[in-house]
Amino acid sequence: MRVDPYVIEAGSGPALVLLHAFPLNASMWSAQREALAATHRVLCPDQRGFGGTQLLHDDPSLDEVADDVAAMLDARKVGDVVLGGLSMGGYVAMAFLRRHPDRVRALILADTRAGADTPEAAANRLRIADAVIEAGSSSLLVEEMLPKLLGATTRERQPLVQGRVKALVERAPAYAVAWAQRAMAARPDSFGTLRSFDRPALVVVGEEDELSPPADAHAMAEALVHATLVTIPESGHLTSVEAPEAFNEAVAAFLATLP
Ligand code: MLT
């Protein structure tokens, strides 16, 4: 069944869709909405189960999430878009690209990777999915994930950013976390999808990203036909939150090159 995602919107002009990371929600894009709404209609949906969006009972799959985004755009009579995603949002962007290629004018992939999970990584996701359901809370993610979500520089110098991200992780609903983990574990390799995309693409990575390290960004940029790669210094995995000025500058410069 299609879910009608809760969307935070700002601005007007060509549509820019930004898909959030796991286990956060669309509020992570507040700095981008503020900066990029001057030139674009910025649409930030909450993924199934997160923020203000219902989960429903479909089998876990990022294809469902990609189709939710397409239906959300249909409902607003938006045709093609600049599609951006960070980490899990990037996986969803690649699923969208596979399923709705004509709707992507340009692509922004931040702190994500095109490869499928190794069997060990997929098994770890299923373990976490079971554990959060059993505990009835996502608080175990604070211990397991929070240190890796943020770069060493942010952990040392930006306590407010750390507090904000911790609060988002703690509040992520357990059922949404479990569903998303199972969906991510099942996602396919997307290198072929990237190779067949011949429109402009921006790849962004934090130089201190431990979850999707710069080597993953280089591999995506090599697979894409027209890619620009930007590495953001002193930032970890959540570049748009840890280094919003540098992130926005990279995105604004990229958007300015689009026809
Ligand atoms: C994210 O930030 O969305 C996650 O690190 C994605 C993942 O678990 O692979």
Side-chain angles (χ1 to χ4, degrees):
M1 242 178 105
R2 283 287 56 80
V3 162
D4 183 19
Y6 178 74
V7 182
I8 313 180
E9 273 195 67
S12 57
L16 167 66
V17 174
L18 296 174
L19 303 170
H20 65 81
F22 170 89
L24 310 183
N25 59 52
S27 72
M28 70 169 261
W29 295 116
S30 55
Q32 284 66 47
R33 275 195 306 279
E34 225 167 85
L36 302 170
T39 55
H40 283 72
R41 179 178 183 188
V42 187
L43 297 132
C44 305
D46 283 329
Q47 183 174 312
R48 286 178 176 223
F50 294 95
T53 302
Q54 276 185 299
L55 182 59
L56 297 193
H57 296 292
D58 295 304
D59 289 342
S61 164
L62 296 182
D63 290 349
E64 296 285 357
V65 180
D67 290 355
D68 291 342
V69 174
M72 176 278 282
L73 294 172
D74 290 344
R76 287 166 174 72
K77 303 197 179 344
V78 175
D80 61 358
V81 300
V82 179
L83 183 64
L86 192 146
S87 198
M88 175 177 72
Y91 308 155
V92 175
M94 290 182 254
F96 187 98
L97 189 57
R98 195 159 38 245
R99 297 169 75 76
H100 309 281
D102 295 342
R103 298 186 81 160
V104 184
R105 288 177 58 211
L107 185 66
I108 301 169
L109 295 174
D111 303 283
T112 189
R113 73 176 90 88
D117 279 354
T118 61
E120 295 73 27
N124 190 44
R125 290 192 192 280
L126 303 183
R127 175 189 66 78
I128 292 172
D130 290 344
V132 292
I133 295 296
E134 166 112 19
S137 131
S138 302
S139 51
L140 69 93
L141 287 180
V142 171
E143 214 173 288
E144 295 224 6
M145 258 196 105
L146 190 63
K148 294 183 206 143
L149 275 177
L150 299 171
T153 307
T154 300
R155 291 201 301 273
E156 198 183 301
R157 297 192 201 153
Q158 298 202 74
L160 289 180
V161 169
Q162 190 158 1
R164 179 181 166 209
V165 172
K166 179 169 182 251
L168 285 171
V169 172
E170 271 169 346
R171 280 190 220 131
Y175 277 93
V177 163
W179 194 95
Q181 284 287 29
R182 293 183 177 124
M184 286 191 280
R187 77 190 193 285
D189 182 285
S190 290
F191 277 108
T193 305
L194 296 189
R195 276 186 209 105
S196 60
F197 182 65
D198 63 0
R199 293 177 186 167
L202 171 68
V203 178
V204 179
V205 67
E207 82 177 332
E208 299 173 6
D209 187 343
E210 292 173 39
L211 290 173
S212 313
D216 289 327
H218 283 272
M220 291 189 298
E222 268 167 37
L224 285 155
V225 181
H226 298 293
T228 305
L229 173 66
V230 174
T231 303
I232 299 193
E234 300 189 335
S235 177
H237 187 59
L238 296 180
T239 43
S240 62
V241 179
E242 294 177 58
E245 288 87 9
F247 185 94
N248 292 349
E249 200 180 302
V251 172
F254 174 68
L255 294 173
T257 65
L258 299 180

PDB file of all heavy atoms in Angstrom, residues 20-24 28 86-91 111-113 117 125 145 148-149 180-181 184 187 209 211-212 237-238, ligand 1:
ATOM      1  N   HIS A  20      16.185  11.583   4.037  1.00  0.00           N
ATOM      2  CA  HIS A  20      16.978  11.605   5.275  1.00  0.00           C
ATOM      3  C   HIS A  20      17.699  10.289   5.579  1.00  0.00           C
ATOM      4  O   HIS A  20      17.399   9.229   5.031  1.00  0.00           O
ATOM      5  CB  HIS A  20      16.093  12.016   6.462  1.00  0.00           C
ATOM      6  CG  HIS A  20      15.002  11.049   6.806  1.00  0.00           C
ATOM      7  ND1 HIS A  20      15.213   9.920   7.555  1.00  0.00           N
ATOM      8  CD2 HIS A  20      13.665  11.064   6.523  1.00  0.00           C
ATOM      9  CE1 HIS A  20      14.064   9.290   7.713  1.00  0.00           C
ATOM     10  NE2 HIS A  20      13.109   9.948   7.098  1.00  0.00           N
ATOM     11  N   ALA A  21      18.631  10.403   6.518  1.00  0.00           N
ATOM     12  CA  ALA A  21      19.443   9.265   6.967  1.00  0.00           C
ATOM     13  C   ALA A  21      18.684   8.438   8.009  1.00  0.00           C
ATOM     14  O   ALA A  21      17.672   8.868   8.568  1.00  0.00           O
ATOM     15  CB  ALA A  21      20.749   9.777   7.575  1.00  0.00           C
ATOM     16  N   PHE A  22      19.212   7.283   8.304  1.00  0.00           N
ATOM     17  CA  PHE A  22      18.719   6.374   9.340  1.00  0.00           C
ATOM     18  C   PHE A  22      19.480   6.655  10.632  1.00  0.00           C
ATOM     19  O   PHE A  22      20.727   6.778  10.574  1.00  0.00           O
ATOM     20  CB  PHE A  22      18.976   4.928   8.901  1.00  0.00           C
ATOM     21  CG  PHE A  22      18.728   3.906   9.970  1.00  0.00           C
ATOM     22  CD1 PHE A  22      17.464   3.351  10.124  1.00  0.00           C
ATOM     23  CD2 PHE A  22      19.745   3.500  10.827  1.00  0.00           C
ATOM     24  CE1 PHE A  22      17.235   2.401  11.112  1.00  0.00           C
ATOM     25  CE2 PHE A  22      19.509   2.565  11.812  1.00  0.00           C
ATOM     26  CZ  PHE A  22      18.254   2.011  11.959  1.00  0.00           C
ATOM     27  N   PRO A  23      18.862   6.697  11.769  1.00  0.00           N
ATOM     28  CA  PRO A  23      17.437   6.596  12.080  1.00  0.00           C
ATOM     29  C   PRO A  23      16.884   7.975  12.424  1.00  0.00           C
ATOM     30  O   PRO A  23      16.304   8.154  13.490  1.00  0.00           O
ATOM     31  CB  PRO A  23      17.428   5.688  13.313  1.00  0.00           C
ATOM     32  CG  PRO A  23      18.698   6.099  14.055  1.00  0.00           C
ATOM     33  CD  PRO A  23      19.659   6.669  13.045  1.00  0.00           C
ATOM     34  N   LEU A  24      17.054   8.915  11.505  1.00  0.00           N
ATOM     35  CA  LEU A  24      16.651  10.302  11.767  1.00  0.00           C
ATOM     36  C   LEU A  24      15.314  10.576  11.081  1.00  0.00           C
ATOM     37  O   LEU A  24      14.545   9.650  10.823  1.00  0.00           O
ATOM     38  CB  LEU A  24      17.754  11.251  11.301  1.00  0.00           C
ATOM     39  CG  LEU A  24      19.173  10.916  11.804  1.00  0.00           C
ATOM     40  CD1 LEU A  24      20.170  11.959  11.331  1.00  0.00           C
ATOM     41  CD2 LEU A  24      19.232  10.819  13.316  1.00  0.00           C
ATOM     42  N   MET A  28      16.328  16.702   9.946  1.00  0.00           N
ATOM     43  CA  MET A  28      17.789  16.834   9.790  1.00  0.00           C
ATOM     44  C   MET A  28      18.171  17.806   8.674  1.00  0.00           C
ATOM     45  O   MET A  28      19.291  18.277   8.599  1.00  0.00           O
ATOM     46  CB  MET A  28      18.459  15.473   9.526  1.00  0.00           C
ATOM     47  CG  MET A  28      18.155  14.881   8.168  1.00  0.00           C
ATOM     48  SD  MET A  28      19.203  13.450   7.763  1.00  0.00           S
ATOM     49  CE  MET A  28      20.436  14.214   6.713  1.00  0.00           C
ATOM     50  N   LEU A  86      20.945  11.301   1.812  1.00  0.00           N
ATOM     51  CA  LEU A  86      22.145  11.083   2.621  1.00  0.00           C
ATOM     52  C   LEU A  86      22.051   9.711   3.268  1.00  0.00           C
ATOM     53  O   LEU A  86      21.050   9.398   3.932  1.00  0.00           O
ATOM     54  CB  LEU A  86      22.272  12.191   3.675  1.00  0.00           C
ATOM     55  CG  LEU A  86      23.619  12.246   4.404  1.00  0.00           C
ATOM     56  CD1 LEU A  86      24.009  13.688   4.747  1.00  0.00           C
ATOM     57  CD2 LEU A  86      23.653  11.389   5.654  1.00  0.00           C
ATOM     58  N   SER A  87      23.030   8.893   3.047  1.00  0.00           N
ATOM     59  CA  SER A  87      23.135   7.549   3.611  1.00  0.00           C
ATOM     60  C   SER A  87      21.911   6.704   3.261  1.00  0.00           C
ATOM     61  O   SER A  87      21.718   6.410   2.088  1.00  0.00           O
ATOM     62  CB  SER A  87      23.382   7.623   5.114  1.00  0.00           C
ATOM     63  OG  SER A  87      23.870   6.372   5.521  1.00  0.00           O
ATOM     64  N   MET A  88      21.038   6.342   4.224  1.00  0.00           N
ATOM     65  CA  MET A  88      19.845   5.577   3.837  1.00  0.00           C
ATOM     66  C   MET A  88      19.060   6.342   2.771  1.00  0.00           C
ATOM     67  O   MET A  88      18.513   5.723   1.839  1.00  0.00           O
ATOM     68  CB  MET A  88      18.970   5.307   5.057  1.00  0.00           C
ATOM     69  CG  MET A  88      17.653   4.624   4.740  1.00  0.00           C
ATOM     70  SD  MET A  88      16.680   4.241   6.216  1.00  0.00           S
ATOM     71  CE  MET A  88      16.127   5.864   6.713  1.00  0.00           C
ATOM     72  N   GLY A  89      19.012   7.676   2.898  1.00  0.00           N
ATOM     73  CA  GLY A  89      18.328   8.485   1.881  1.00  0.00           C
ATOM     74  C   GLY A  89      18.960   8.286   0.512  1.00  0.00           C
ATOM     75  O   GLY A  89      18.276   8.326  -0.510  1.00  0.00           O
ATOM     76  N   GLY A  90      20.273   8.065   0.501  1.00  0.00           N
ATOM     77  CA  GLY A  90      20.958   7.777  -0.769  1.00  0.00           C
ATOM     78  C   GLY A  90      20.546   6.423  -1.316  1.00  0.00           C
ATOM     79  O   GLY A  90      20.356   6.262  -2.531  1.00  0.00           O
ATOM     80  N   TYR A  91      20.379   5.432  -0.432  1.00  0.00           N
ATOM     81  CA  TYR A  91      19.921   4.102  -0.907  1.00  0.00           C
ATOM     82  C   TYR A  91      18.529   4.242  -1.541  1.00  0.00           C
ATOM     83  O   TYR A  91      18.231   3.619  -2.565  1.00  0.00           O
ATOM     84  CB  TYR A  91      19.813   3.075   0.221  1.00  0.00           C
ATOM     85  CG  TYR A  91      21.015   2.879   1.113  1.00  0.00           C
ATOM     86  CD1 TYR A  91      20.846   2.390   2.412  1.00  0.00           C
ATOM     87  CD2 TYR A  91      22.315   3.153   0.682  1.00  0.00           C
ATOM     88  CE1 TYR A  91      21.923   2.180   3.260  1.00  0.00           C
ATOM     89  CE2 TYR A  91      23.397   2.950   1.526  1.00  0.00           C
ATOM     90  CZ  TYR A  91      23.191   2.473   2.815  1.00  0.00           C
ATOM     91  OH  TYR A  91      24.257   2.276   3.660  1.00  0.00           O
ATOM     92  N   ASP A 111      27.324  10.777   1.591  1.00  0.00           N
ATOM     93  CA  ASP A 111      27.680   9.828   2.660  1.00  0.00           C
ATOM     94  C   ASP A 111      26.880   8.538   2.548  1.00  0.00           C
ATOM     95  O   ASP A 111      26.237   8.092   3.506  1.00  0.00           O
ATOM     96  CB  ASP A 111      27.462  10.500   4.029  1.00  0.00           C
ATOM     97  CG  ASP A 111      28.267  11.779   4.127  1.00  0.00           C
ATOM     98  OD1 ASP A 111      29.490  11.692   4.328  1.00  0.00           O
ATOM     99  OD2 ASP A 111      27.687  12.874   3.932  1.00  0.00           O
ATOM    100  N   THR A 112      26.946   7.956   1.361  1.00  0.00           N
ATOM    101  CA  THR A 112      26.192   6.728   1.127  1.00  0.00           C
ATOM    102  C   THR A 112      27.065   5.796   0.309  1.00  0.00           C
ATOM    103  O   THR A 112      28.234   6.093   0.060  1.00  0.00           O
ATOM    104  CB  THR A 112      24.847   7.069   0.428  1.00  0.00           C
ATOM    105  OG1 THR A 112      24.021   5.922   0.395  1.00  0.00           O
ATOM    106  CG2 THR A 112      25.028   7.618  -0.979  1.00  0.00           C
ATOM    107  N   ARG A 113      26.512   4.669  -0.095  1.00  0.00           N
ATOM    108  CA  ARG A 113      27.313   3.754  -0.915  1.00  0.00           C
ATOM    109  C   ARG A 113      26.397   2.970  -1.845  1.00  0.00           C
ATOM    110  O   ARG A 113      25.217   2.750  -1.536  1.00  0.00           O
ATOM    111  CB  ARG A 113      28.137   2.827  -0.026  1.00  0.00           C
ATOM    112  CG  ARG A 113      27.378   1.752   0.674  1.00  0.00           C
ATOM    113  CD  ARG A 113      28.345   0.864   1.442  1.00  0.00           C
ATOM    114  NE  ARG A 113      28.533   1.376   2.781  1.00  0.00           N
ATOM    115  CZ  ARG A 113      27.763   1.055   3.814  1.00  0.00           C
ATOM    116  NH1 ARG A 113      26.773   0.198   3.664  1.00  0.00           N
ATOM    117  NH2 ARG A 113      27.970   1.574   4.995  1.00  0.00           N
ATOM    118  N   ASP A 117      24.789  -4.835   1.048  1.00  0.00           N
ATOM    119  CA  ASP A 117      25.438  -5.252   2.299  1.00  0.00           C
ATOM    120  C   ASP A 117      26.206  -6.554   2.115  1.00  0.00           C
ATOM    121  O   ASP A 117      25.774  -7.438   1.355  1.00  0.00           O
ATOM    122  CB  ASP A 117      24.365  -5.508   3.374  1.00  0.00           C
ATOM    123  CG  ASP A 117      23.891  -4.231   4.027  1.00  0.00           C
ATOM    124  OD1 ASP A 117      24.459  -3.146   3.747  1.00  0.00           O
ATOM    125  OD2 ASP A 117      22.950  -4.324   4.838  1.00  0.00           O
ATOM    126  N   ARG A 125      22.188  -6.085  10.782  1.00  0.00           N
ATOM    127  CA  ARG A 125      20.957  -5.280  10.713  1.00  0.00           C
ATOM    128  C   ARG A 125      19.768  -6.079  11.270  1.00  0.00           C
ATOM    129  O   ARG A 125      18.928  -5.532  11.985  1.00  0.00           O
ATOM    130  CB  ARG A 125      20.656  -4.903   9.264  1.00  0.00           C
ATOM    131  CG  ARG A 125      21.621  -3.910   8.672  1.00  0.00           C
ATOM    132  CD  ARG A 125      21.034  -3.412   7.367  1.00  0.00           C
ATOM    133  NE  ARG A 125      21.982  -2.678   6.564  1.00  0.00           N
ATOM    134  CZ  ARG A 125      22.333  -1.413   6.743  1.00  0.00           C
ATOM    135  NH1 ARG A 125      21.818  -0.735   7.748  1.00  0.00           N
ATOM    136  NH2 ARG A 125      23.182  -0.814   5.936  1.00  0.00           N
ATOM    137  N   MET A 145      25.317   3.212  17.427  1.00  0.00           N
ATOM    138  CA  MET A 145      25.473   4.002  16.190  1.00  0.00           C
ATOM    139  C   MET A 145      25.979   5.416  16.376  1.00  0.00           C
ATOM    140  O   MET A 145      26.686   5.935  15.519  1.00  0.00           O
ATOM    141  CB  MET A 145      24.112   4.087  15.494  1.00  0.00           C
ATOM    142  CG  MET A 145      23.965   3.156  14.337  1.00  0.00           C
ATOM    143  SD  MET A 145      22.560   3.675  13.334  1.00  0.00           S
ATOM    144  CE  MET A 145      23.379   4.412  11.937  1.00  0.00           C
ATOM    145  N   LYS A 148      29.450   6.528  15.621  1.00  0.00           N
ATOM    146  CA  LYS A 148      29.881   6.430  14.214  1.00  0.00           C
ATOM    147  C   LYS A 148      29.152   7.427  13.319  1.00  0.00           C
ATOM    148  O   LYS A 148      29.607   7.722  12.222  1.00  0.00           O
ATOM    149  CB  LYS A 148      29.610   5.013  13.696  1.00  0.00           C
ATOM    150  CG  LYS A 148      30.449   3.959  14.379  1.00  0.00           C
ATOM    151  CD  LYS A 148      30.182   2.607  13.758  1.00  0.00           C
ATOM    152  CE  LYS A 148      30.462   1.501  14.763  1.00  0.00           C
ATOM    153  NZ  LYS A 148      29.554   0.379  14.678  1.00  0.00           N
ATOM    154  N   LEU A 149      28.009   7.920  13.762  1.00  0.00           N
ATOM    155  CA  LEU A 149      27.246   8.854  12.918  1.00  0.00           C
ATOM    156  C   LEU A 149      27.962  10.186  12.777  1.00  0.00           C
ATOM    157  O   LEU A 149      27.850  10.862  11.767  1.00  0.00           O
ATOM    158  CB  LEU A 149      25.861   9.115  13.523  1.00  0.00           C
ATOM    159  CG  LEU A 149      24.743   8.133  13.206  1.00  0.00           C
ATOM    160  CD1 LEU A 149      23.480   8.528  13.951  1.00  0.00           C
ATOM    161  CD2 LEU A 149      24.452   8.056  11.718  1.00  0.00           C
ATOM    162  N   ALA A 180      13.182  -0.415   8.681  1.00  0.00           N
ATOM    163  CA  ALA A 180      14.213   0.192   7.822  1.00  0.00           C
ATOM    164  C   ALA A 180      15.463  -0.685   7.783  1.00  0.00           C
ATOM    165  O   ALA A 180      16.087  -0.847   6.722  1.00  0.00           O
ATOM    166  CB  ALA A 180      14.554   1.593   8.322  1.00  0.00           C
ATOM    167  N   GLN A 181      15.836  -1.265   8.920  1.00  0.00           N
ATOM    168  CA  GLN A 181      17.017  -2.147   8.922  1.00  0.00           C
ATOM    169  C   GLN A 181      16.790  -3.343   8.004  1.00  0.00           C
ATOM    170  O   GLN A 181      17.678  -3.728   7.240  1.00  0.00           O
ATOM    171  CB  GLN A 181      17.347  -2.639  10.339  1.00  0.00           C
ATOM    172  CG  GLN A 181      18.019  -1.609  11.232  1.00  0.00           C
ATOM    173  CD  GLN A 181      19.489  -1.346  10.850  1.00  0.00           C
ATOM    174  OE1 GLN A 181      19.894  -1.474   9.705  1.00  0.00           O
ATOM    175  NE2 GLN A 181      20.289  -0.948  11.816  1.00  0.00           N
ATOM    176  N   MET A 184      16.953  -2.138   4.418  1.00  0.00           N
ATOM    177  CA  MET A 184      18.323  -1.844   3.963  1.00  0.00           C
ATOM    178  C   MET A 184      19.106  -3.139   3.742  1.00  0.00           C
ATOM    179  O   MET A 184      19.905  -3.243   2.805  1.00  0.00           O
ATOM    180  CB  MET A 184      19.045  -0.943   4.969  1.00  0.00           C
ATOM    181  CG  MET A 184      18.560   0.493   4.935  1.00  0.00           C
ATOM    182  SD  MET A 184      19.632   1.621   5.880  1.00  0.00           S
ATOM    183  CE  MET A 184      19.086   1.328   7.560  1.00  0.00           C
ATOM    184  N   ARG A 187      18.525  -4.509   0.265  1.00  0.00           N
ATOM    185  CA  ARG A 187      18.697  -3.666  -0.933  1.00  0.00           C
ATOM    186  C   ARG A 187      19.752  -4.270  -1.872  1.00  0.00           C
ATOM    187  O   ARG A 187      20.742  -4.836  -1.418  1.00  0.00           O
ATOM    188  CB  ARG A 187      19.052  -2.223  -0.545  1.00  0.00           C
ATOM    189  CG  ARG A 187      20.489  -2.051  -0.137  1.00  0.00           C
ATOM    190  CD  ARG A 187      20.780  -0.684   0.464  1.00  0.00           C
ATOM    191  NE  ARG A 187      22.214  -0.475   0.552  1.00  0.00           N
ATOM    192  CZ  ARG A 187      23.021  -1.033   1.447  1.00  0.00           C
ATOM    193  NH1 ARG A 187      22.521  -1.848   2.373  1.00  0.00           N
ATOM    194  NH2 ARG A 187      24.318  -0.800   1.430  1.00  0.00           N
ATOM    195  N   ASP A 209      34.034  10.369   7.632  1.00  0.00           N
ATOM    196  CA  ASP A 209      32.884   9.447   7.622  1.00  0.00           C
ATOM    197  C   ASP A 209      33.375   8.007   7.814  1.00  0.00           C
ATOM    198  O   ASP A 209      34.102   7.476   6.977  1.00  0.00           O
ATOM    199  CB  ASP A 209      32.126   9.582   6.288  1.00  0.00           C
ATOM    200  CG  ASP A 209      30.829   8.778   6.275  1.00  0.00           C
ATOM    201  OD1 ASP A 209      30.667   7.886   7.121  1.00  0.00           O
ATOM    202  OD2 ASP A 209      29.986   9.044   5.411  1.00  0.00           O
ATOM    203  N   LEU A 211      31.083   5.432   8.454  1.00  0.00           N
ATOM    204  CA  LEU A 211      30.046   4.492   8.021  1.00  0.00           C
ATOM    205  C   LEU A 211      30.035   4.321   6.492  1.00  0.00           C
ATOM    206  O   LEU A 211      29.777   3.224   5.997  1.00  0.00           O
ATOM    207  CB  LEU A 211      28.671   4.961   8.507  1.00  0.00           C
ATOM    208  CG  LEU A 211      28.449   4.860  10.018  1.00  0.00           C
ATOM    209  CD1 LEU A 211      27.125   5.498  10.415  1.00  0.00           C
ATOM    210  CD2 LEU A 211      28.483   3.406  10.476  1.00  0.00           C
ATOM    211  N   SER A 212      30.226   5.413   5.777  1.00  0.00           N
ATOM    212  CA  SER A 212      30.365   5.336   4.304  1.00  0.00           C
ATOM    213  C   SER A 212      31.625   6.122   3.966  1.00  0.00           C
ATOM    214  O   SER A 212      31.546   7.283   3.560  1.00  0.00           O
ATOM    215  CB  SER A 212      29.174   5.983   3.597  1.00  0.00           C
ATOM    216  OG  SER A 212      27.961   5.569   4.152  1.00  0.00           O
ATOM    217  N   HIS A 237      29.871  11.351   9.103  1.00  0.00           N
ATOM    218  CA  HIS A 237      28.840  10.789   8.235  1.00  0.00           C
ATOM    219  C   HIS A 237      27.700  11.772   7.938  1.00  0.00           C
ATOM    220  O   HIS A 237      27.165  11.757   6.841  1.00  0.00           O
ATOM    221  CB  HIS A 237      28.308   9.549   8.963  1.00  0.00           C
ATOM    222  CG  HIS A 237      27.352   8.714   8.205  1.00  0.00           C
ATOM    223  ND1 HIS A 237      27.658   8.120   7.005  1.00  0.00           N
ATOM    224  CD2 HIS A 237      26.063   8.346   8.487  1.00  0.00           C
ATOM    225  CE1 HIS A 237      26.614   7.416   6.586  1.00  0.00           C
ATOM    226  NE2 HIS A 237      25.634   7.549   7.463  1.00  0.00           N
ATOM    227  N   LEU A 238      27.346  12.593   8.919  1.00  0.00           N
ATOM    228  CA  LEU A 238      26.172  13.462   8.727  1.00  0.00           C
ATOM    229  C   LEU A 238      26.611  14.848   8.243  1.00  0.00           C
ATOM    230  O   LEU A 238      26.423  15.859   8.931  1.00  0.00           O
ATOM    231  CB  LEU A 238      25.363  13.558  10.023  1.00  0.00           C
ATOM    232  CG  LEU A 238      24.730  12.257  10.514  1.00  0.00           C
ATOM    233  CD1 LEU A 238      23.952  12.484  11.815  1.00  0.00           C
ATOM    234  CD2 LEU A 238      23.791  11.658   9.463  1.00  0.00           C
TER     235      LEU A 238
HETATM  236  C1  MLT B   1      22.381   6.089   7.705  1.00  0.00           C
HETATM  237  O1  MLT B   1      23.005   7.041   8.164  1.00  0.00           O
HETATM  238  O2  MLT B   1      21.339   6.266   7.039  1.00  0.00           O
HETATM  239  C2  MLT B   1      22.879   4.712   7.986  1.00  0.00           C
HETATM  240  O3  MLT B   1      24.219   4.756   8.356  1.00  0.00           O
HETATM  241  C3  MLT B   1      22.679   3.822   6.805  1.00  0.00           C
HETATM  242  C4  MLT B   1      23.154   2.428   7.075  1.00  0.00           C
HETATM  243  O4  MLT B   1      22.921   1.900   8.171  1.00  0.00           O
HETATM  244  O5  MLT B   1      23.722   1.812   6.158  1.00  0.00           O
END
